[in-house]
């Protein structure tokens, strides 16, 4: 492309651009290498995993996948993925609904202490997760919710992810106020204005929230480790760890196979939605 | 259909000092009337309109629609429809959905909604766009959709806040005529805000002039033009603006540079010899004369040729005034800049006199 353009304009190849592209590609290769290694290793026979430095396996060993699909501790991979899905989808639903509602209140409704409350909410972004971990655990323990999915999903329905509330507030502030006023004159109260006008128009912000919530929840390990201990309730990330624990060294191959399996849904999810993500970033100003 | 009344209505925005955006507004709009609110930017036109719509609180006084005091009523019970300057069309709904939204919320039967939307679309020439989203429409089409959204509701009052300001000049003239004729056909009481005085003069049955939140005058366009109630209205209505000069008053009359302009006895009586008076002369009330007798010699600075007319900007040789005098002359024989011409008042009846202090119209 660059060369073609160069010859048309008669300026010769644009070395700066070529250099930039080569540089970007090099960085990309460095970043992708671990992933490629992971994928390649999942096909290596057991003895090659640690000993060989080569990227490509000497022969394709599909047995790794067969072992991985059997799952861990008698719980099948499907079940593990299912558990991860339940938690992730629950978290996505919770965050999208609760964060947008909270954001609407902060962006549009007038109530006493709105300013201080907004600042307080923003302050919670800076609160380290680990600081609230123990009190939260005690609360869930007393509610009898430990070793269920509730501690991982319920908080999302209470708009606790201040970052997404903030993101959505910023987005909603960009929606012209006249639309709310027109809706008010058309006969909408605050709730109808939210569901009929603001929510559909906030789609880009909602999709961003959904994508990141899904990825972060799917990849989460720490909270799941703390709240889930029965193997039937394990998520795919927890299973990966127990794979290392319960098996001998020779199970490294299957572990990498399992890693690939764990990555697949999230890669698919990302590919399905990244179009909207870009769209969301591009269209943060509502026009027309 | 309904009469609308503001009763000493005021809106005060907090702050230091508080802004009285609309102050003691007393105004009655008759049933079926097309009333235009004009005024310079920041004079409180939009605020006055929004007070009636219920989008802005009313801090003092009240508003009435028909026989009902709606001062504290929520917007949706007021039976009004508003056209916004930005149109405020819902971007995620089609034209038909936009227009039918209010009816749908009122749980009116689907077929009835469809019928009314189609009827309005027919009226506004939007039939072929009903399934489009606002994004895929031109500015003029969007404006018509905004009108349509108001029409389908069949409200008792239309409120329009500068609905034409986003259109280009040609379309604006066209749409201006369309809105006026539509309003005549529907007979719905309408309050129309604009800062364009040509719109005000051509569309309104009556025109209300606001300045700094205070109503200056509410009259028919002709009356407003011929008998402005004060110097502000005189200067605001008419394009180009009226020539306004504050000059000394002598027993001979008002001293406009070297010329005395006779002033009625009723005006001079009771004023001391060294008092001042504001005289207003429209550009078309002045004309070029050949004789120097009783006329004002004027150095031409600029000539704007408008085709049939030309606007002559000039200054008297002794003038200390910063603003030039503007004269509407014959477009076929325009003077050249730098030339000195003689100017006289066509008819003394056409001179407006205002109190130099308060700006109020004097006598006649
Ligand atoms: N929410 C507000 N808070 C404080 N002051 C306000 C608010 N809204 C309007 N004002 C003030 O009230 C006055 C009138 O504003 P308004 O919007 O009614 O003017 P307008 O006549 O419609 O002007 P324009 O022709 O520019 O639209 C202005 O001085 C404005 O600064
Ligand atoms: Mg305005």
């Amino acid at each position: 492309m660059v060369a073609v353009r160069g010859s048309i304009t008669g300026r010769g190849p644009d070395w700066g651009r070529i250099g930039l592209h080569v540089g970007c590609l090099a960085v990309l290769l460095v970043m992708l290498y671990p992933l490629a290694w992971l994928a390649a290793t999942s096909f290596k026979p057991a003895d090659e995993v640690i000993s060989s430095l080569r990227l490509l396996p000497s022969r394709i060993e599909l047995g790794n996948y067969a072992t991985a699909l059997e799952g861990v501790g008698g719980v099948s991979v499907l079940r593990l993925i299912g558990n991860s899905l339940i938690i992730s989808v629950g978290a996505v639903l919770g965050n999208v609904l609760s964060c947008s509602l909270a954001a609407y209140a902060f962006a549009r409704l007038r109530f006493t202490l709105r300013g201080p409350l907004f600042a307080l909410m923003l302050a919670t972004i800076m609160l380290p997760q680990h600081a609230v971990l123990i009190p939260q655990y005690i609360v869930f323990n007393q509610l009898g919710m430990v070793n269920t999915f509730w501690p991982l999903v319920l908080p999302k329905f209470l708009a606790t992810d201040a970052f997404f509330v903030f993101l959505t507030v910023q987005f909603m502030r960009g929606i012209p106020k006249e639309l709310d006023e027109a809706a008010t004159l058309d006969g909408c109260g605050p709730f109808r204005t939210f569901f009929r006008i603001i929510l559909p128009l906030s789609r880009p912000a909602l999709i961003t929230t959904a994508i990141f919530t899904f990825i972060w929840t799917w990849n989460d390990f720490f909270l799941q480790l703390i709240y889930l201990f029965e193997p039937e309730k394990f998520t795919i990330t927890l299973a990966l760890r127990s794979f290392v624990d319960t098996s001998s060294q020779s199970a490294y191959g299957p572990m990498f196979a399992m890693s690939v399996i764990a990555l697949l849904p999230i890669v698919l999810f990302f590919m399905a939605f990244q179009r909207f993500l870009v769209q969301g970033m591009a269209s943060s100003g509502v026009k027309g | 259909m309904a009469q609308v009344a503001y009763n000493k209505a005021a809106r005060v925005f907090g702050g230091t000092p508080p802004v009285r955006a609309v102050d003691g507004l007393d105004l009655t709009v008759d049933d079926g009337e097309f009333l235009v609110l004009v005024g310079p930017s920041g004079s409180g036109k939009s605020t006055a309109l929004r007070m009636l719509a219920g989008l802005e609180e009313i801090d003092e006084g009240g508003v009435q629609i028909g026989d009902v005091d709606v001062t504290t009523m929520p917007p949706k019970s007021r039976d009004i429809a508003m056209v916004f300057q930005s149109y405020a069309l819902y971007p995620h709904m089609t034209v038909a959905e936009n227009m039918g939204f209010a009816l749908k919320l009122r749980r009116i039967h689907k077929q009835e909604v469809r019928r009314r939307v189609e009827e309005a679309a027919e009226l506004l020439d939007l039939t072929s766009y009903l399934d489009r989203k606002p994004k895929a429409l031109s500015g003029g089409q969007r404006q018509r959709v905004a009108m349509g959204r108001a029409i389908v509701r069949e409200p008792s009052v239309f409120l329009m806040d500068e609905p034409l300001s986003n259109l280009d000049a040609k379309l604006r003239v066209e749409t201006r005529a369309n809105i006026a004729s539509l309003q005549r056909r529907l007979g719905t009481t309408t309050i129309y805000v604009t800062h364009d005085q040509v719109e005000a003069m051509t569309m309104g049955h009556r025109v209300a002039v606001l300045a700094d939140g205070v109503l200056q005058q509410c009259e028919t366009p002709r009356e407003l033009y011929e008998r402005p109630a004060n110097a502000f209205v005189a200067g605001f209505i008419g394009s180009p603006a009226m020539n306004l000069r504050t000059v000394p008053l002598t027993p001979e009359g008002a001293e406009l540079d070297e010329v005395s302009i006779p002033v009625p006895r009723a005006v001079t009586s009771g004023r001391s010899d060294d008092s001042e008076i504001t005289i207003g002369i429209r550009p078309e009330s002045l004309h070029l004369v050949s004789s120097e007798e009783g006329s004002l010699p004027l150095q031409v600075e600029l000539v704007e040729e408008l085709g049939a007319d030309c606007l002559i900007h000039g200054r008297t040789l002794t003038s200390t005034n910063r603003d030039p005098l503007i004269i509407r002359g014959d477009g076929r024989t325009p003077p050249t800049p730098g030339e000195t011409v003689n100017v006289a008042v066509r008819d003394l009846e056409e001179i407006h006199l205002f109190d130099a202090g308060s700006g109020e119209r004097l006598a006649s």
Side-chain angles (χ1 to χ4, degrees):
Chain A
M1 283 290 275
V2 176
V4 169
R5 212 184 61 147
S7 67
I8 287 174
T9 54
R11 280 189 291 118
D14 185 341
W15 290 111
R17 277 182 76 88
I18 293 176
L20 186 71
H21 279 119
V22 170
C24 286
L25 281 174
V27 173
L28 183 70
L29 274 182
V30 171
M31 308 245 292
L32 278 182
Y33 182 79
L35 214 59
W37 189 83
L38 174 76
T41 307
S42 69
F43 291 104
K44 283 181 189 168
D47 55 329
E48 263 180 57
V49 171
I50 301 289
S51 58
S52 163
L53 283 176
R54 288 189 317 157
L55 182 61
L56 294 178
S58 56
R59 64 185 170 83
I60 303 274
E61 172 64 69
L62 288 175
N64 288 342
Y65 279 89
T67 319
L69 282 176
E70 281 168 19
V72 177
V75 184
S76 74
V77 161
L78 277 187
R79 176 73 187 262
L80 294 168
I81 289 185
N83 287 346
S84 276
L85 265 182
I86 291 173
I87 293 171
S88 302
V89 170
V92 166
L93 284 182
N95 257 355
V96 165
L97 195 75
S98 67
C99 291
S100 59
L101 264 171
Y104 176 64
F106 280 125
R108 285 296 204 264
L109 305 183
R110 273 195 246 158
F111 50 91
T112 37
L113 289 183
R114 180 171 79 164
L117 284 175
F118 188 64
L120 193 67
M121 184 214 53
L122 285 186
T124 64
I125 294 182
M126 284 162 251
L127 206 61
Q129 193 195 30
H130 310 92
V132 292
L133 195 70
I134 291 172
Q136 214 175 51
Y137 187 88
I138 294 171
V139 170
F140 279 119
N141 199 16
Q142 281 180 354
L143 290 172
M145 286 180 176
V146 166
N147 199 27
T148 67
F149 294 154
W150 284 115
L152 302 169
V153 175
L154 191 62
K156 309 287 182 190
F157 278 88
L158 303 174
T160 48
D161 273 341
F163 174 71
F164 293 123
V165 179
F166 177 66
L167 181 96
T168 316
V169 166
Q170 289 308 93
F171 190 86
M172 284 179 181
R173 281 183 179 157
I175 299 175
K177 268 250 168 63
E178 274 105 30
L179 290 183
D180 299 50
E181 294 178 345
T184 308
L185 294 183
D186 274 348
C188 293
F191 273 99
R192 272 201 185 151
T193 307
F194 174 67
F195 283 111
R196 298 296 197 98
I197 311 292
I198 300 295
L199 202 61
L201 292 178
S202 304
R203 206 177 71 155
L206 302 185
I207 287 174
T208 309
T209 303
I211 291 176
F212 282 115
T213 306
F214 189 88
I215 293 176
W216 288 346
T217 314
W218 185 275
N219 289 343
D220 180 41
F221 173 69
F222 190 54
L223 280 181
Q224 297 170 2
L225 177 70
I226 293 201
Y227 285 111
L228 304 175
F229 14 91
E230 254 178 89
E232 281 83 56
K233 302 212 168 95
F234 273 11
T235 58
I236 193 96
T237 39
L238 286 184
L240 265 180
R241 188 209 49 153
S242 57
F243 220 93
V244 183
D245 277 359
T246 56
S247 322
S248 62
Q249 275 221 343
S250 62
Y252 272 128
M255 189 189 77
F256 285 115
M258 182 87 108
S259 299
V260 172
I261 295 173
L263 274 175
L264 268 183
I266 204 152
V267 170
L268 290 179
F269 180 84
F270 186 79
M271 288 202 313
F273 283 99
Q274 60 91 20
R275 188 165 59 91
F276 296 108
L277 194 66
V278 174
Q279 205 178 56
M281 285 166 180
S283 70
S284 29
V286 180
K287 292 194 202 97
Chain B
M1 318 289 128
Q3 192 189 55
V4 170
Y6 289 89
N7 303 316
K8 302 233 178 319
R11 173 74 175 124
V12 186
F13 287 114
T16 41
V19 183
R20 296 188 73 85
V22 171
D23 200 357
L25 181 59
D26 246 330
L27 183 64
T28 305
V29 187
D30 294 328
D31 186 10
E33 186 177 2
F34 194 116
L35 181 103
V36 178
L37 267 181
V38 279
S41 185
S43 55
K45 309 178 295 285
S46 299
T47 308
L49 202 67
R50 293 162 53 83
M51 283 160 77
L52 191 64
L55 297 173
E56 208 73 73
E57 273 169 52
I58 295 164
D59 296 311
E60 292 161 28
V63 289
Q64 223 174 333
I65 297 176
D67 301 325
V68 191
D69 186 324
V70 298
T71 310
T72 53
M73 246 186 211
K76 67 172 174 181
S77 332
R78 296 192 185 195
D79 198 20
I80 41 131
M82 185 155 167
V83 179
F84 292 83
Q85 177 175 358
S86 61
Y87 312 144
L89 301 178
Y90 309 124
H92 56 298
M93 298 185 194
T94 64
V95 168
E97 285 166 346
N98 259 288
M99 289 175 32
F101 187 58
L103 301 183
K104 200 167 126 192
L105 288 180
R106 277 192 241 159
R107 301 185 193 288
I108 289 176
H109 197 272
K110 252 195 189 136
Q111 276 160 355
E112 169 71 3
V113 174
R114 189 82 209 164
R115 190 188 63 74
R116 272 157 78 169
V117 167
E118 271 165 9
E119 210 176 271
E122 187 95 20
L123 203 62
L124 294 162
D125 206 11
L126 285 170
T127 311
S128 45
Y129 308 113
L130 279 179
D131 294 322
R132 286 209 203 161
K133 294 264 176 71
K135 208 190 286 182
L137 297 178
S138 73
Q141 289 158 351
R142 283 181 207 174
Q143 202 282 331
R144 298 209 300 273
V145 176
M147 289 293 300
R149 197 165 65 175
I151 291 172
V152 290
R153 290 180 45 188
E154 299 173 5
S156 48
V157 185
F158 283 141
L159 305 178
M160 304 186 193
D161 193 351
E162 310 204 18
L164 304 185
S165 55
N166 288 338
L167 303 181
D168 66 53
K170 186 163 170 288
L171 200 55
R172 202 179 312 176
V173 175
E174 215 176 285
T175 316
R176 195 163 80 195
N178 287 341
I179 292 182
S181 78
L182 194 67
Q183 194 271 344
R184 219 171 303 128
R185 193 145 23 130
L186 299 172
T188 309
T189 314
T190 303
I191 304 183
Y192 184 104
V193 165
T194 179
H195 63 249
D196 177 353
Q197 47 140 327
V198 180
E199 264 172 46
M201 300 297 275
T202 53
M203 296 174 86
H205 297 152
R206 281 191 306 157
V207 177
V209 184
L210 278 180
D212 288 330
V214 180
L215 179 65
Q216 304 293 314
Q217 188 175 10
C218 180
E219 269 304 339
T220 59
R222 181 117 305 272
E223 185 70 12
L224 212 58
Y225 189 79
E226 286 175 353
R227 294 176 51 85
N230 56 38
F232 175 83
V233 177
F236 188 74
I237 299 293
S239 171
M242 182 189 282
N243 297 298
L244 285 168
R245 289 284 183 284
T246 300
V247 299
L249 190 62
T250 63
E252 285 79 49
E255 298 294 326
L256 177 62
D257 297 312
E258 295 95 38
V259 188
S260 314
I261 292 166
V263 167
R265 181 73 42 82
V267 173
T268 39
S269 66
R271 278 168 197 275
S272 61
D273 277 356
D274 55 351
S275 65
E276 293 196 314
I277 191 168
T278 302
I279 67 171
I281 313 172
R282 294 215 177 268
E284 49 270 40
S285 302
L286 291 168
H287 64 157
L288 304 186
V289 290
S290 48
S291 82
E292 289 177 21
E293 185 63 30
S295 69
L296 204 57
L298 209 66
Q299 174 124 38
V300 178
E301 286 188 342
L302 173 75
V303 179
E304 292 178 77
E305 297 198 42
L306 304 174
D309 301 330
C310 66
L311 297 177
I312 304 157
H313 299 238
R315 238 176 253 277
T316 52
L317 304 171
T318 58
S319 169
T320 49
N321 203 305
R322 279 185 295 118
D323 302 324
L325 273 179
I326 302 177
I327 300 123
R328 194 184 286 276
D330 191 335
R332 284 165 299 186
T333 55
T336 49
E339 191 181 335
T340 306
V341 292
N342 295 310
V343 174
V345 177
R346 258 180 224 281
D347 183 351
L348 289 178
E349 294 280 293
E350 293 178 14
I351 289 181
H352 306 264
L353 297 170
F354 306 98
D355 188 287
S358 67
E360 290 304 310
R361 184 181 190 82
L362 294 173
S364 71

